[in-house]
Amino acid sequence: MVKAIFFDVDGTLVSFRTHTIPPSALEALHTLRAKGIKLFLSTGRHPVMLRSVEGLFSFDGAVTLSGQYCTAGGQVLRSNPMPPEAVEELVEAEAGMDVEYMYAFVSHAEKTAYVILRVADNDAAEKVLRDHGIPILSGEDVY
């Protein structure tokens, strides 16, 4: 049986005050690793935003972009990007969704985009997205 622990980054593993992993947490990570437990990051962040954390400890993988991009053992297990032009549609639709924040990571070279957004009212946001013809995946479709 594989044992694994997934750590949130912001405010859990990484201090909001110091923006780094505290020495006590690093010690705990090493203790867990010595017990054969696999250690993963789980975050809404883009993988590029994890370099400073990964420089402090070598994790076994990560669930990033809120599940849109997942790795383990140096292998990409899941990559669920959207075409860059879909980001433009999403930005146009966002006006009616009461968006608290939106991050778009676009690679024109790879013709991919990943978007993270937070809305105040999920039902209202779903309606706006559907009205704009933007597909919404269910949990069953994603997992």
Side-chain angles (χ1 to χ4, degrees):
M1 175 172 69
V2 175
K3 293 182 180 180
I5 300 174
F6 290 77
F7 294 93
D8 178 45
V9 176
D10 298 307
T12 303
L13 190 61
V14 174
S15 165
F16 282 127
R17 189 174 49 80
T18 65
H19 305 289
T20 190
I21 302 174
S24 59
L26 282 171
E27 183 179 329
L29 291 170
H30 287 289
T31 299
L32 292 167
R33 169 71 49 77
K35 292 181 179 189
I37 298 172
K38 301 287 185 185
L39 304 172
F40 294 84
L41 296 172
S42 180
T43 181
R45 289 184 181 201
H46 188 281
V48 170
M49 299 168 70
L50 297 173
R51 289 184 181 151
S52 62
V53 173
E54 291 172 331
L56 298 172
F57 186 84
S58 179
F59 290 89
D60 294 295
V63 175
T64 62
L65 292 160
S66 297
Q68 294 177 75
Y69 190 85
C70 306
T71 61
Q75 300 288 319
V76 176
L77 303 178
R78 175 179 173 72
S79 178
N80 190 28
M82 63 176 66
E85 54 274 8
V87 176
E88 294 172 20
E89 293 174 28
L90 187 57
V91 169
E92 289 173 15
E94 143 324 287
M97 292 193 297
D98 194 16
V99 173
E100 293 177 25
Y101 63 78
M102 180 188 304
Y103 301 104
F105 304 92
V106 179
S107 170
H108 291 287
E110 295 177 19
K111 296 186 171 124
T112 60
Y114 296 92
V115 175
I116 300 292
L117 60 95
R118 182 176 186 148
V119 296
D121 182 342
N122 287 334
D123 293 333
E126 271 192 41
K127 181 180 181 331
V128 169
L129 293 173
R130 288 187 201 289
D131 289 350
H132 280 81
I134 297 172
I136 299 171
L137 299 176
S138 70
E140 292 80 26
D141 294 330
V142 174
Y143 302 106

